[in-house]
Amino acid sequence: PACGPANLAEFLPISSHYIGFDANEDFIRYALKKKRDVYVGNVLDKKNYQTCDVVITCDILHHIKPTERKTFIRNCFVSAKRLLIICEPAQKEQKTNSFFYPIKKYLTEWSERDGTSNVKMHYFFSYAQLTTQIKNGFGAIPSSIKRETKEIGDDIIGVFIKTARLGS
């Protein structure tokens, strides 16, 4: 879901079958030119999802209104047979009263426009918010599902392992 131009496919093992969808038709056209298996679809509509072994989301949650994130996560979780991997940037704590904050806010919201969403600076997670959301399964993933958290640079990756239960 929200595959963008489907660049992730380049980093997967050759034996993998990559399928993606995105609401941005320009991204989909680009990915189709690269012979990717992609289609136009909305991440909030469960009809756009296909059941697969692993669902990976990357850098998408700040494009989704906070009130709609639980639906998105639930759609992803239900579609994954084995793993759900969620990779998101964790913002360092920002002082909203700093002199540079309005400039950073404007540039961030402008640069994140993709033609399909209206990103707001407050949609981004801080480190503490994101790690808490992963721990709590974003309010959509049962607490009995085993989860791991990894950090790579400024990104935090939540891995939800459906084939293992807590205590396994």
Side-chain angles (χ1 to χ4, degrees), residues 127 131 149-157:
Y127 179 89
T131 54
T149 303
K150 308 281 184 191
E151 294 182 34
I152 299 176
D154 290 335
D155 290 343
I156 299 177
I157 301 169

Side-chain angles (χ1 to χ4, degrees), residues 91-105 121:
Q91 299 291 309
K92 294 180 175 47
E93 296 295 332
Q94 293 285 333
K95 292 185 178 178
T96 58
N97 61 354
S98 77
F99 175 78
F100 293 107
Y101 182 78
I103 297 166
K104 179 177 169 81
K105 179 181 181 295
M121 187 72 160

Side-chain angles (χ1 to χ4, degrees), residues 53 55 73 77 80-86 133-138 141-142 145-149 157-164:
D53 288 331
V55 172
I73 298 294
F77 182 72
K81 288 192 269 183
R82 293 180 44 233
L83 296 173
L84 169 58
I85 301 170
I86 300 172
Q133 286 293 318
I134 292 169
K135 180 180 177 187
N136 295 329
F138 294 89
I141 299 171
I145 299 297
K146 185 175 179 180
R147 59 206 67 197
E148 296 177 4
T149 303
I157 301 169
V159 179
F160 298 88
I161 307 163
K162 292 181 86 170
T163 55

Side-chain angles (χ1 to χ4, degrees), residues 22-48:
D22 199 287
N24 186 316
E25 293 181 19
D26 291 333
F27 286 156
I28 296 302
R29 275 192 293 279
Y30 176 84
L32 287 170
K33 287 179 184 174
K34 294 176 80 174
K35 308 289 189 230
R36 302 286 185 235
D37 188 358
V38 295
Y39 55 95
V40 175
N42 183 323
V43 297
L44 299 175
D45 185 348
K46 65 182 175 182
K47 290 183 279 184
N48 290 301

